[in-house]
Amino acid sequence: FFLILTLSSTMKFAIAILSLVAPSVVAFAPSAFVRTSTALAIGKEGNVEFGGNTWKPDSEKMGSTDTGDYFPDDYDADIAFGDGMMGSQSGGRQNDGPALPGMENLGEDAIMMGGIEVNENIPEGMEFIPSSVPDGEIAMQVAASGKAAVFELDVKPVCMTFEDFYVSFSTDSHQSFSVTPSAGRMDRRGGEITYLTVVCDPRGQAGTFTGDLVINLPEDNSKMCYKVTATSF
């Protein structure tokens, strides 16, 4: 009986040992693995786009932008193939080529600027013609790009009575000259001196400028003249 009991206990112990060892053995056992593969057919119709990109621009919205924005929409240049050739050597032809908008009559109704301006205080039609021999001479120096040169001219009265006078440069004088005042009343001989301001404003132009300043005394039928020379440097 003791032997049977011992064998029974031994078998129970062995079974318990196997129950503990079996999971560990299974963990290290090789497992079955199946490799799958997928074949990709490249170059076959259906997965490749043949012919490149099919996008195309909207041609109706595409156009030339060579014409500047400053031309009006209805401006038609109508330029011939030979227009503008030879440049300044084209023989001096005027109105060669299309005129820009607003400049079609350039040269026909253009206003020329410059020259001696006649003051509105001077009677219409009065002329300022210098004498062959001036009563005096004025020399001035002025910087071409600087401020205008100013000369104060003292004119002593020469008439026996009070006289109206009018002053201006002759029409052939350089346009840089001007004088103020252009009109006034001169005292009689021995009286107060009349002061005139002579101005030379070359506005960037250099050279030697000349002008004839004429003082008309119409009531006395006489005049006084001054030769003005300005050197602009």
Side-chain angles (χ1 to χ4, degrees):
F1 176 79
F2 176 76
L3 180 60
I4 294 173
L5 180 60
T6 302
L7 292 174
S8 177
S9 298
T10 303
M11 292 178 65
K12 289 182 179 181
F13 178 75
I15 293 171
I17 295 298
L18 290 175
S19 64
L20 292 175
V21 175
S24 299
V25 174
V26 174
F28 288 97
S31 60
F33 175 76
V34 179
R35 180 184 297 273
T36 60
S37 62
T38 302
L40 177 61
I42 300 177
K44 293 184 179 181
E45 189 175 358
N47 56 16
V48 176
E49 182 69 33
F50 294 97
N53 196 342
T54 59
W55 178 88
K56 295 181 180 180
D58 188 356
S59 59
E60 295 181 359
K61 296 182 181 180
M62 303 282 290
S64 175
T65 58
D66 292 341
T67 303
D69 296 337
Y70 47 82
F71 288 110
D73 295 336
D74 57 348
Y75 176 63
D76 185 10
D78 192 19
I79 301 176
F81 174 77
D83 289 345
M85 292 186 177
M86 300 297 292
S88 60
Q89 306 299 323
S90 59
R93 293 176 296 174
Q94 296 181 353
N95 301 325
D96 189 9
L100 294 178
M103 301 181 67
E104 294 82 359
N105 296 325
L106 181 63
E108 297 180 3
D109 54 357
I111 299 177
M112 300 301 295
M113 303 300 294
I116 299 299
E117 297 182 2
V118 179
N119 194 287
E120 60 181 5
N121 296 326
I122 297 175
E124 184 178 358
M126 178 174 287
E127 296 180 337
F128 294 87
I129 302 175
S131 304
S132 57
V133 180
D135 297 291
E137 295 184 357
I138 301 173
M140 306 174 66
Q141 289 187 345
V142 58
S145 301
K147 295 182 179 179
V150 179
F151 182 87
E152 197 78 14
L153 177 62
D154 302 341
V155 181
K156 296 180 180 180
V158 294
C159 299
M160 298 299 296
T161 59
F162 292 94
E163 296 283 347
D164 292 334
F165 69 89
Y166 301 94
V167 187
S168 182
F169 280 89
S170 61
T171 55
D172 58 349
S173 300
H174 195 268
Q175 66 268 18
S176 61
F177 292 117
S178 62
V179 59
T180 55
S182 60
R185 190 166 181 82
M186 189 176 294
D187 203 346
R188 56 189 176 183
R189 182 179 300 176
E192 295 183 0
I193 296 175
T194 299
Y195 298 97
L196 301 177
T197 302
V198 181
V199 178
C200 179
D201 188 4
R203 299 183 181 181
Q205 184 178 0
T208 301
F209 313 137
T210 59
D212 292 291
L213 181 65
V214 181
I215 305 174
N216 283 340
L217 301 168
E219 296 179 3
D220 191 59
N221 195 25
S222 62
K223 59 186 175 183
M224 292 183 288
C225 303
Y226 295 85
K227 189 72 174 182
V228 183
T229 303
T231 302
S232 177
F233 54 89

